[in-house]
Each structure stands twice: as structure tokens, then as C-alpha cells.
Amino acid sequence: MSDLSRVNATNTARQGLVAGAVPSGQARNLLTRLAAWIDDRNLAFLVISVGMIVMLLWAGSYKMTAPGAEGIVPLVSHSPLIWWHFKLFGPYIGSDMIGLTEITAAILFIAGYFRPVAGIVGGLITTVMFFTTSTMLVTTPGAIISVPGIQGMRYMSFLGLFLFKDVIALGASFYLIGHFGHKAIAHENQG
């Protein structure tokens, strides 16, 4: 047995011990029964995937309006990764492209319910998107502010908090890639 095969077998055995240590029906106290009930119904996936789909469709379509395009100009202009985007395409076409990317990712997540590989692609798109927008938290003027009278402390402004939600969405994107990946592996192993 090769070293790689041994490592894979060990990791598979560890995952089986953790995942199958106690069936959810054997949870004893109220909190573990609640956790098992939530896990058995896959509520995390449902809330995260539906929330992500709604957010992407809504935000993507808003970016295709004049106020939506004008609203993201300061964010994109100060981004270390996509500052060139509006210089190349202009704010309206550039914003339309960003909006179409968000709508495409949402459609891929929807398709992922039926074809898990599509969900993986949607997750990869949103991972790149939300990584990019997460960097704007540090580079956008006014995102992090000091409050008069409080020495040595910096806070996130409303703009900063708005951008910080993309850090959470980045984590949700990784979760969705993993979830759809497990479904795709199961589908591959069936056929």
C-alpha cells in the first residue's frame, strides 16, 4: 500500500468515526437533539443556498440600474484587484457585467440542486467575487473610521459593515462548494 493510499484510508476512517460516531436519533439532551434535528433536515444548506440565491439575484439586478452602478463606483475605483474594471468598460457596462456575473452564479446555484457540478461552479464564481469585495473593506475610504473622543480604536462604519458581510458570504461560498461537491461525488459513485 502506498503512502498516499495509507493517508487516504486513515483520513476516511477518521471522517467515518466523527461523522458516524453517534446517530442523530441517539442524542440525549435538548441541545444535542435540536442540533441533530437541524442537521437531519439540512437547514444550514437550505438557508445558506436560498439566501445566497436571493441576495445574488437581487443585488445583480440592482447593479444593472443607474443608481446601482453609481453606488459601486467608489468601491470598485478603490479596489486593489478590479480598479481597472470601470476604466476599461465604464461604470454602466462594468456594473452590468458585475450584475450578470451575480445572476449567473445564482442560476448555477439553482441548477446545482439538480446538477451538483453547476453548484460547484457557482460557488467558485462567488468565492472569487466575495474575496475581491472583501478586500474593499480595507481599501475603501470611510469603511473603517475613528470615533471622536475614543482614543486608539477604529470601527467599521455602515459602509464597512456592508462590505464585511461579504466576508461571511465568502465563507458561505466555500460551504456551498463543499456541499455541492459531496453531492457530485455521491452522484459520480452511483453511476
Side-chain angles (χ1 to χ4, degrees), residues 139-171:
T139 61
T140 302
I144 302 191
I145 59 172
S146 58
V147 176
I150 301 177
Q151 297 294 330
M153 187 67 182
R154 307 276 286 162
Y155 297 92
M156 279 189 259
S157 65
F158 286 119
L159 174 61
L161 292 169
F162 168 77
L163 290 169
F164 192 77
K165 63 123 175 63
D166 287 355
V167 175
I168 298 165
L170 176 62

mmCIF file of all heavy atoms in Angstrom, residues 139-171:
data_model
loop_
_atom_site.group_PDB
_atom_site.id
_atom_site.type_symbol
_atom_site.label_atom_id
_atom_site.label_comp_id
_atom_site.label_asym_id
_atom_site.label_seq_id
_atom_site.Cartn_x
_atom_site.Cartn_y
_atom_site.Cartn_z
ATOM 1 N N THR A 139 -9.572 48.880 1.671
ATOM 2 C CA THR A 139 -9.105 49.895 0.718
ATOM 3 C C THR A 139 -10.098 51.017 0.439
ATOM 4 O O THR A 139 -9.716 52.026 -0.145
ATOM 5 C CB THR A 139 -8.736 49.229 -0.622
ATOM 6 O OG1 THR A 139 -9.897 48.589 -1.163
ATOM 7 C CG2 THR A 139 -7.629 48.208 -0.434
ATOM 8 N N THR A 140 -11.362 50.852 0.828
ATOM 9 C CA THR A 140 -12.359 51.881 0.522
ATOM 10 C C THR A 140 -12.344 52.957 1.603
ATOM 11 O O THR A 140 -12.527 52.650 2.790
ATOM 12 C CB THR A 140 -13.770 51.271 0.418
ATOM 13 O OG1 THR A 140 -13.747 50.261 -0.601
ATOM 14 C CG2 THR A 140 -14.803 52.321 0.072
ATOM 15 N N PRO A 141 -12.135 54.209 1.210
ATOM 16 C CA PRO A 141 -12.140 55.293 2.202
ATOM 17 C C PRO A 141 -13.485 55.355 2.935
ATOM 18 O O PRO A 141 -14.545 55.230 2.322
ATOM 19 C CB PRO A 141 -11.933 56.559 1.358
ATOM 20 C CG PRO A 141 -11.288 56.077 0.101
ATOM 21 C CD PRO A 141 -11.839 54.699 -0.131
ATOM 22 N N GLY A 142 -13.420 55.510 4.243
ATOM 23 C CA GLY A 142 -14.624 55.629 5.051
ATOM 24 C C GLY A 142 -15.181 54.302 5.548
ATOM 25 O O GLY A 142 -16.127 54.284 6.320
ATOM 26 N N ALA A 143 -14.599 53.182 5.139
ATOM 27 C CA ALA A 143 -15.091 51.881 5.595
ATOM 28 C C ALA A 143 -14.688 51.630 7.046
ATOM 29 O O ALA A 143 -15.441 51.047 7.822
ATOM 30 C CB ALA A 143 -14.587 50.761 4.708
ATOM 31 N N ILE A 144 -13.498 52.082 7.401
ATOM 32 C CA ILE A 144 -13.016 51.957 8.774
ATOM 33 C C ILE A 144 -12.747 53.368 9.274
ATOM 34 O O ILE A 144 -12.033 54.146 8.631
ATOM 35 C CB ILE A 144 -11.765 51.065 8.836
ATOM 36 C CG1 ILE A 144 -12.120 49.711 8.268
ATOM 37 C CG2 ILE A 144 -11.213 51.011 10.246
ATOM 38 C CD1 ILE A 144 -11.153 48.605 8.456
ATOM 39 N N ILE A 145 -13.339 53.706 10.405
ATOM 40 C CA ILE A 145 -13.302 55.087 10.904
ATOM 41 C C ILE A 145 -12.879 55.118 12.369
ATOM 42 O O ILE A 145 -12.920 54.112 13.069
ATOM 43 C CB ILE A 145 -14.687 55.769 10.761
ATOM 44 C CG1 ILE A 145 -15.759 54.987 11.534
ATOM 45 C CG2 ILE A 145 -15.065 55.901 9.294
ATOM 46 C CD1 ILE A 145 -17.098 55.685 11.618
ATOM 47 N N SER A 146 -12.482 56.296 12.804
ATOM 48 C CA SER A 146 -12.258 56.507 14.236
ATOM 49 C C SER A 146 -13.435 57.327 14.745
ATOM 50 O O SER A 146 -14.062 58.088 14.000
ATOM 51 C CB SER A 146 -10.932 57.217 14.484
ATOM 52 O OG SER A 146 -10.913 58.452 13.802
ATOM 53 N N VAL A 147 -13.762 57.146 15.991
ATOM 54 C CA VAL A 147 -14.881 57.853 16.604
ATOM 55 C C VAL A 147 -14.310 58.945 17.501
ATOM 56 O O VAL A 147 -13.452 58.660 18.343
ATOM 57 C CB VAL A 147 -15.769 56.879 17.416
ATOM 58 C CG1 VAL A 147 -16.872 57.619 18.145
ATOM 59 C CG2 VAL A 147 -16.338 55.802 16.501
ATOM 60 N N PRO A 148 -14.760 60.191 17.334
ATOM 61 C CA PRO A 148 -14.238 61.280 18.165
ATOM 62 C C PRO A 148 -14.431 60.971 19.659
ATOM 63 O O PRO A 148 -15.474 60.479 20.082
ATOM 64 C CB PRO A 148 -15.093 62.485 17.750
ATOM 65 C CG PRO A 148 -15.603 62.146 16.390
ATOM 66 C CD PRO A 148 -15.755 60.654 16.375
ATOM 67 N N GLY A 149 -13.384 61.234 20.413
ATOM 68 C CA GLY A 149 -13.445 61.031 21.860
ATOM 69 C C GLY A 149 -12.992 59.651 22.307
ATOM 70 O O GLY A 149 -12.836 59.410 23.494
ATOM 71 N N ILE A 150 -12.795 58.738 21.371
ATOM 72 C CA ILE A 150 -12.328 57.391 21.729
ATOM 73 C C ILE A 150 -10.953 57.214 21.107
ATOM 74 O O ILE A 150 -10.812 57.157 19.889
ATOM 75 C CB ILE A 150 -13.311 56.305 21.247
ATOM 76 C CG1 ILE A 150 -14.683 56.519 21.862
ATOM 77 C CG2 ILE A 150 -12.766 54.920 21.583
ATOM 78 C CD1 ILE A 150 -15.739 55.552 21.392
ATOM 79 N N GLN A 151 -9.938 57.162 21.971
ATOM 80 C CA GLN A 151 -8.555 57.105 21.511
ATOM 81 C C GLN A 151 -8.130 55.681 21.155
ATOM 82 O O GLN A 151 -8.475 54.733 21.855
ATOM 83 C CB GLN A 151 -7.625 57.641 22.624
ATOM 84 C CG GLN A 151 -7.860 59.088 22.988
ATOM 85 C CD GLN A 151 -7.519 60.030 21.844
ATOM 86 O OE1 GLN A 151 -6.651 59.751 21.030
ATOM 87 N NE2 GLN A 151 -8.220 61.151 21.769
ATOM 88 N N GLY A 152 -7.395 55.554 20.072
ATOM 89 C CA GLY A 152 -6.737 54.308 19.721
ATOM 90 C C GLY A 152 -7.645 53.189 19.225
ATOM 91 O O GLY A 152 -7.207 52.056 19.132
ATOM 92 N N MET A 153 -8.886 53.497 18.935
ATOM 93 C CA MET A 153 -9.800 52.435 18.480
ATOM 94 C C MET A 153 -10.367 52.819 17.122
ATOM 95 O O MET A 153 -10.725 53.958 16.901
ATOM 96 C CB MET A 153 -10.931 52.270 19.503
ATOM 97 C CG MET A 153 -11.825 51.123 19.237
ATOM 98 S SD MET A 153 -10.926 49.594 19.465
ATOM 99 C CE MET A 153 -12.172 48.438 19.035
ATOM 100 N N ARG A 154 -10.447 51.844 16.222
ATOM 101 C CA ARG A 154 -11.041 52.055 14.908
ATOM 102 C C ARG A 154 -12.270 51.172 14.807
ATOM 103 O O ARG A 154 -12.306 50.072 15.352
ATOM 104 C CB ARG A 154 -10.044 51.685 13.804
ATOM 105 C CG ARG A 154 -8.692 52.353 13.908
ATOM 106 C CD ARG A 154 -8.621 53.713 13.338
ATOM 107 N NE ARG A 154 -8.632 53.650 11.881
ATOM 108 C CZ ARG A 154 -8.914 54.687 11.132
ATOM 109 N NH1 ARG A 154 -9.187 55.836 11.665
ATOM 110 N NH2 ARG A 154 -8.927 54.586 9.842
ATOM 111 N N TYR A 155 -13.285 51.656 14.106
ATOM 112 C CA TYR A 155 -14.547 50.942 13.972
ATOM 113 C C TYR A 155 -14.924 50.835 12.503
ATOM 114 O O TYR A 155 -14.483 51.629 11.679
ATOM 115 C CB TYR A 155 -15.675 51.693 14.709
ATOM 116 C CG TYR A 155 -15.454 51.788 16.184
ATOM 117 C CD1 TYR A 155 -14.802 52.881 16.738
ATOM 118 C CD2 TYR A 155 -15.894 50.784 17.023
ATOM 119 C CE1 TYR A 155 -14.594 52.969 18.098
ATOM 120 C CE2 TYR A 155 -15.691 50.860 18.386
ATOM 121 C CZ TYR A 155 -15.035 51.957 18.918
ATOM 122 O OH TYR A 155 -14.834 52.031 20.268
ATOM 123 N N MET A 156 -15.795 49.879 12.216
ATOM 124 C CA MET A 156 -16.348 49.806 10.877
ATOM 125 C C MET A 156 -17.541 50.756 10.802
ATOM 126 O O MET A 156 -18.413 50.723 11.664
ATOM 127 C CB MET A 156 -16.820 48.383 10.552
ATOM 128 C CG MET A 156 -15.720 47.468 10.126
ATOM 129 S SD MET A 156 -16.355 45.906 9.527
ATOM 130 C CE MET A 156 -16.057 44.891 10.952
ATOM 131 N N SER A 157 -17.569 51.567 9.767
ATOM 132 C CA SER A 157 -18.726 52.427 9.523
ATOM 133 C C SER A 157 -19.844 51.559 8.934
ATOM 134 O O SER A 157 -19.672 50.353 8.736
ATOM 135 C CB SER A 157 -18.347 53.524 8.522
ATOM 136 O OG SER A 157 -18.047 52.939 7.264
ATOM 137 N N PHE A 158 -20.980 52.161 8.620
ATOM 138 C CA PHE A 158 -22.038 51.402 7.959
ATOM 139 C C PHE A 158 -21.548 50.839 6.628
ATOM 140 O O PHE A 158 -21.869 49.717 6.262
ATOM 141 C CB PHE A 158 -23.296 52.259 7.753
ATOM 142 C CG PHE A 158 -24.051 52.494 9.023
ATOM 143 C CD1 PHE A 158 -24.240 53.773 9.497
ATOM 144 C CD2 PHE A 158 -24.568 51.434 9.754
ATOM 145 C CE1 PHE A 158 -24.931 53.991 10.673
ATOM 146 C CE2 PHE A 158 -25.256 51.633 10.930
ATOM 147 C CZ PHE A 158 -25.444 52.921 11.394
ATOM 148 N N LEU A 159 -20.725 51.604 5.924
ATOM 149 C CA LEU A 159 -20.132 51.117 4.679
ATOM 150 C C LEU A 159 -19.237 49.910 4.962
ATOM 151 O O LEU A 159 -19.275 48.907 4.254
ATOM 152 C CB LEU A 159 -19.332 52.226 3.993
ATOM 153 C CG LEU A 159 -18.528 51.822 2.755
ATOM 154 C CD1 LEU A 159 -19.444 51.281 1.657
ATOM 155 C CD2 LEU A 159 -17.712 52.997 2.256
ATOM 156 N N GLY A 160 -18.435 49.998 6.020
ATOM 157 C CA GLY A 160 -17.565 48.887 6.399
ATOM 158 C C GLY A 160 -18.360 47.644 6.761
ATOM 159 O O GLY A 160 -18.011 46.525 6.379
ATOM 160 N N LEU A 161 -19.447 47.828 7.505
ATOM 161 C CA LEU A 161 -20.296 46.689 7.867
ATOM 162 C C LEU A 161 -20.958 46.095 6.627
ATOM 163 O O LEU A 161 -21.089 44.871 6.517
ATOM 164 C CB LEU A 161 -21.351 47.118 8.884
ATOM 165 C CG LEU A 161 -20.793 47.487 10.263
ATOM 166 C CD1 LEU A 161 -21.867 48.156 11.105
ATOM 167 C CD2 LEU A 161 -20.218 46.275 10.961
ATOM 168 N N PHE A 162 -21.358 46.960 5.697
ATOM 169 C CA PHE A 162 -21.918 46.486 4.429
ATOM 170 C C PHE A 162 -20.910 45.608 3.690
ATOM 171 O O PHE A 162 -21.249 44.538 3.183
ATOM 172 C CB PHE A 162 -22.330 47.685 3.563
ATOM 173 C CG PHE A 162 -22.647 47.322 2.139
ATOM 174 C CD1 PHE A 162 -23.852 46.721 1.819
ATOM 175 C CD2 PHE A 162 -21.743 47.571 1.119
ATOM 176 C CE1 PHE A 162 -24.141 46.365 0.504
ATOM 177 C CE2 PHE A 162 -22.023 47.230 -0.188
ATOM 178 C CZ PHE A 162 -23.233 46.622 -0.500
ATOM 179 N N LEU A 163 -19.649 46.038 3.661
ATOM 180 C CA LEU A 163 -18.624 45.261 2.984
ATOM 181 C C LEU A 163 -18.255 43.997 3.761
ATOM 182 O O LEU A 163 -17.936 42.969 3.171
ATOM 183 C CB LEU A 163 -17.369 46.118 2.764
ATOM 184 C CG LEU A 163 -17.514 47.240 1.736
ATOM 185 C CD1 LEU A 163 -16.325 48.184 1.801
ATOM 186 C CD2 LEU A 163 -17.672 46.663 0.342
ATOM 187 N N PHE A 164 -18.335 44.068 5.096
ATOM 188 C CA PHE A 164 -17.948 42.915 5.910
ATOM 189 C C PHE A 164 -18.858 41.715 5.692
ATOM 190 O O PHE A 164 -18.430 40.572 5.818
ATOM 191 C CB PHE A 164 -17.911 43.281 7.396
ATOM 192 C CG PHE A 164 -17.261 42.224 8.230
ATOM 193 C CD1 PHE A 164 -15.889 42.102 8.249
ATOM 194 C CD2 PHE A 164 -18.022 41.333 8.966
ATOM 195 C CE1 PHE A 164 -15.274 41.105 8.993
ATOM 196 C CE2 PHE A 164 -17.424 40.336 9.716
ATOM 197 C CZ PHE A 164 -16.039 40.225 9.732
ATOM 198 N N LYS A 165 -20.097 41.952 5.311
ATOM 199 C CA LYS A 165 -20.998 40.828 5.037
ATOM 200 C C LYS A 165 -20.456 39.951 3.916
ATOM 201 O O LYS A 165 -20.744 38.766 3.847
ATOM 202 C CB LYS A 165 -22.415 41.305 4.726
ATOM 203 C CG LYS A 165 -22.494 42.147 3.466
ATOM 204 C CD LYS A 165 -23.439 41.612 2.439
ATOM 205 C CE LYS A 165 -23.588 42.522 1.276
ATOM 206 N NZ LYS A 165 -22.414 42.777 0.470
ATOM 207 N N ASP A 166 -19.595 40.506 3.079
ATOM 208 C CA ASP A 166 -19.006 39.712 2.003
ATOM 209 C C ASP A 166 -17.973 38.720 2.534
ATOM 210 O O ASP A 166 -17.706 37.710 1.885
ATOM 211 C CB ASP A 166 -18.401 40.615 0.929
ATOM 212 C CG ASP A 166 -19.479 41.298 0.100
ATOM 213 O OD1 ASP A 166 -20.670 40.990 0.300
ATOM 214 O OD2 ASP A 166 -19.138 42.129 -0.751
ATOM 215 N N VAL A 167 -17.389 38.986 3.696
ATOM 216 C CA VAL A 167 -16.505 38.007 4.323
ATOM 217 C C VAL A 167 -17.337 36.779 4.719
ATOM 218 O O VAL A 167 -16.924 35.638 4.513
ATOM 219 C CB VAL A 167 -15.790 38.611 5.553
ATOM 220 C CG1 VAL A 167 -14.969 37.562 6.291
ATOM 221 C CG2 VAL A 167 -14.916 39.794 5.134
ATOM 222 N N ILE A 168 -18.526 37.024 5.260
ATOM 223 C CA ILE A 168 -19.428 35.927 5.634
ATOM 224 C C ILE A 168 -19.904 35.202 4.371
ATOM 225 O O ILE A 168 -19.952 33.972 4.329
ATOM 226 C CB ILE A 168 -20.601 36.465 6.467
ATOM 227 C CG1 ILE A 168 -20.061 37.079 7.763
ATOM 228 C CG2 ILE A 168 -21.622 35.367 6.752
ATOM 229 C CD1 ILE A 168 -21.041 37.958 8.501
ATOM 230 N N ALA A 169 -20.224 35.958 3.328
ATOM 231 C CA ALA A 169 -20.650 35.344 2.066
ATOM 232 C C ALA A 169 -19.515 34.529 1.445
ATOM 233 O O ALA A 169 -19.774 33.510 0.784
ATOM 234 C CB ALA A 169 -21.139 36.414 1.094
ATOM 235 N N LEU A 170 -18.268 34.927 1.664
ATOM 236 C CA LEU A 170 -17.126 34.146 1.195
ATOM 237 C C LEU A 170 -17.121 32.777 1.888
ATOM 238 O O LEU A 170 -16.954 31.740 1.238
ATOM 239 C CB LEU A 170 -15.824 34.901 1.458
ATOM 240 C CG LEU A 170 -14.517 34.191 1.105
ATOM 241 C CD1 LEU A 170 -14.444 33.883 -0.381
ATOM 242 C CD2 LEU A 170 -13.336 35.059 1.531
ATOM 243 N N GLY A 171 -17.340 32.776 3.199
ATOM 244 C CA GLY A 171 -17.431 31.507 3.924
ATOM 245 C C GLY A 171 -18.594 30.663 3.439
ATOM 246 O O GLY A 171 -18.473 29.439 3.292
#
